[in-house]
Amino acid sequence: MKRHKLRGWIYSAPAVLAMCVLFLGPVLAVLFFSLTDWQLGQKSFSFLGLGNFEALLADKVFLKSLRNTFVYVLLVVPGTVALGLFVAVLLESSEELKGIYRTAHFVPVMAATSAMAIVWGTMLNPSIGMINRVFHWFGYSGANWLRDESTALLALALIGVWQGFGYAMVLFISGLKAIPQQLYEAAEIDGADSAVDRLRLVVLPMLGPVMMFVVIIIAVRAFSVFDTIHVLTEGGPNYGTDALLYRLYVESFNFLRTGYGGAMAVVFLIVVAMLTLVQARVIDKRVHYT
């Protein structure tokens, strides 16, 4: 028995070592640097203890980026999940050109985020952008979407929904295919003959595990927003689109304040971990496993 256990440890040792080096190592390094005043390129540093974290609480720019991140997540996650579910149900209800539509809706997921951000920047251009031209056709003046603090974060959130709903759609389609046809027939016998009744009584309860996975993955991706901000707004105007991960990048690599950026990274990891745990606990209570 001991020989089998020893053999198991020997076989698993490379994977355990790789996990420690690639995952635990960087996390411990970030925790270490967050307690120092180290700047990128310097050969010496001093320990500050919790000084960087105290500075974060007094940093208005950081607090605004944290608020922007939560607002962005609250806009993107419900919009992505709802649109992905709607498109999945719509595609599964019709057999015509199903494959083409699936591919078309999944294209934003496969495309490079920075390239798509440039395309959206052109579409949102206040002078030559297609979106403002559509508004002009209907008699409205449009807006300077990415340079107005009242619309910039909303525009980025809409781009985030557009980029992510194809991924949610594919997962929901896989969940819809796993629902037994007998459940629809039983629901129809019980009087649930409308599409809304079938959605409420059959589809949503049976999609519980998929829904939990989709919400968590989309939320983590929303918290990690960076490319579109870096390409389109660079955190402006007036830090109106400054998000946590982008602020971390600016402090660590533009201002070379690596210790301060490390403290932001710790906050980011804590927020994402807490969000994932809360979502898993709250949603898991409403999930029906079969």
Side-chain angles (χ1 to χ4, degrees):
M1 189 67 179
K2 291 183 178 180
R3 182 179 298 177
H4 289 297
K5 288 185 177 180
L6 179 61
R7 186 177 299 174
W9 278 109
I10 293 175
Y11 289 156
S12 62
V16 173
L17 180 62
M19 185 182 69
C20 292
V21 172
L22 298 176
F23 178 72
L24 294 179
V27 171
L28 293 176
V30 168
L31 288 173
F32 174 78
F33 287 125
S34 69
L35 303 176
T36 71
D37 65 348
W38 184 57
Q39 294 187 354
L40 191 64
Q42 282 190 341
K43 297 182 179 180
S44 61
F45 55 84
S46 301
F47 282 96
L48 301 178
L50 299 178
N52 285 325
F53 296 94
E54 294 174 356
L56 285 179
L57 295 177
D59 189 345
K60 294 182 179 180
V61 175
F62 168 75
L63 295 177
K64 190 169 185 178
S65 69
L66 191 61
R67 181 189 68 84
N68 290 339
T69 303
F70 278 104
V71 172
Y72 180 86
V73 171
L74 291 175
L75 291 173
V76 169
V77 175
T80 303
V81 173
L83 186 59
L85 179 60
F86 174 77
V87 174
V89 173
L90 199 63
L91 289 179
E92 285 302 297
S93 63
S94 176
E95 294 296 332
E96 296 181 3
L97 302 178
K98 185 186 295 185
I100 295 176
Y101 287 124
R102 285 180 188 170
T103 304
H105 291 308
F106 195 71
V107 164
V109 181
M110 299 183 294
T113 306
S114 56
M116 291 297 99
I118 295 174
V119 174
W120 273 100
T122 304
M123 293 174 62
L124 293 169
N125 187 284
S127 302
I128 62 173
M130 184 185 72
I131 293 178
N132 270 1
R133 288 179 178 272
V134 172
F135 273 92
H136 291 158
W137 289 337
F138 288 97
Y140 297 97
S141 59
N144 193 351
W145 302 99
L146 298 175
R147 294 295 177 263
D148 188 338
E149 190 174 355
S150 63
T151 60
L153 190 60
L154 176 61
L156 292 181
L158 291 175
I159 296 173
V161 172
W162 174 81
Q163 288 176 326
F165 88 91
Y167 182 72
M169 174 202 70
V170 170
L171 294 175
F172 282 133
I173 287 176
S174 66
L176 290 172
K177 289 185 176 297
I179 299 177
Q181 185 63 32
Q182 294 87 341
L183 291 180
Y184 293 108
E185 296 171 357
E188 187 173 356
I189 293 173
D190 290 338
D193 51 355
S194 68
V196 176
D197 289 336
R198 289 195 296 271
L199 179 66
R200 180 173 57 88
L201 298 175
V202 178
V203 175
L204 291 180
M206 294 301 296
L207 283 180
V210 177
M211 181 73 73
M212 182 176 70
F213 179 78
V214 169
V215 170
I216 291 175
I217 293 299
I218 296 299
V220 172
R221 291 180 61 177
F223 258 105
S224 305
V225 59
F226 173 81
D227 291 14
T228 52
I229 294 175
H230 184 60
V231 173
L232 295 177
T233 65
E234 295 185 342
N238 191 27
Y239 302 105
T241 60
D242 203 20
L244 187 55
L245 200 60
Y246 181 77
R247 178 52 36 190
L248 189 160
Y249 163 79
V250 170
E251 293 290 345
S252 299
F253 298 103
N254 285 3
F255 300 153
L256 304 181
R257 300 171 63 189
T258 311
Y260 194 63
M264 288 188 182
V266 172
V267 173
F268 176 79
L269 291 174
I270 292 174
V271 169
V272 172
M274 290 180 60
L275 173 74
T276 304
L277 290 175
V278 170
Q279 285 181 327
R281 287 182 176 274
V282 172
I283 300 176
D284 189 59
K285 293 180 180 179
R286 304 189 179 191
V287 169
H288 299 276
Y289 294 98
T290 57

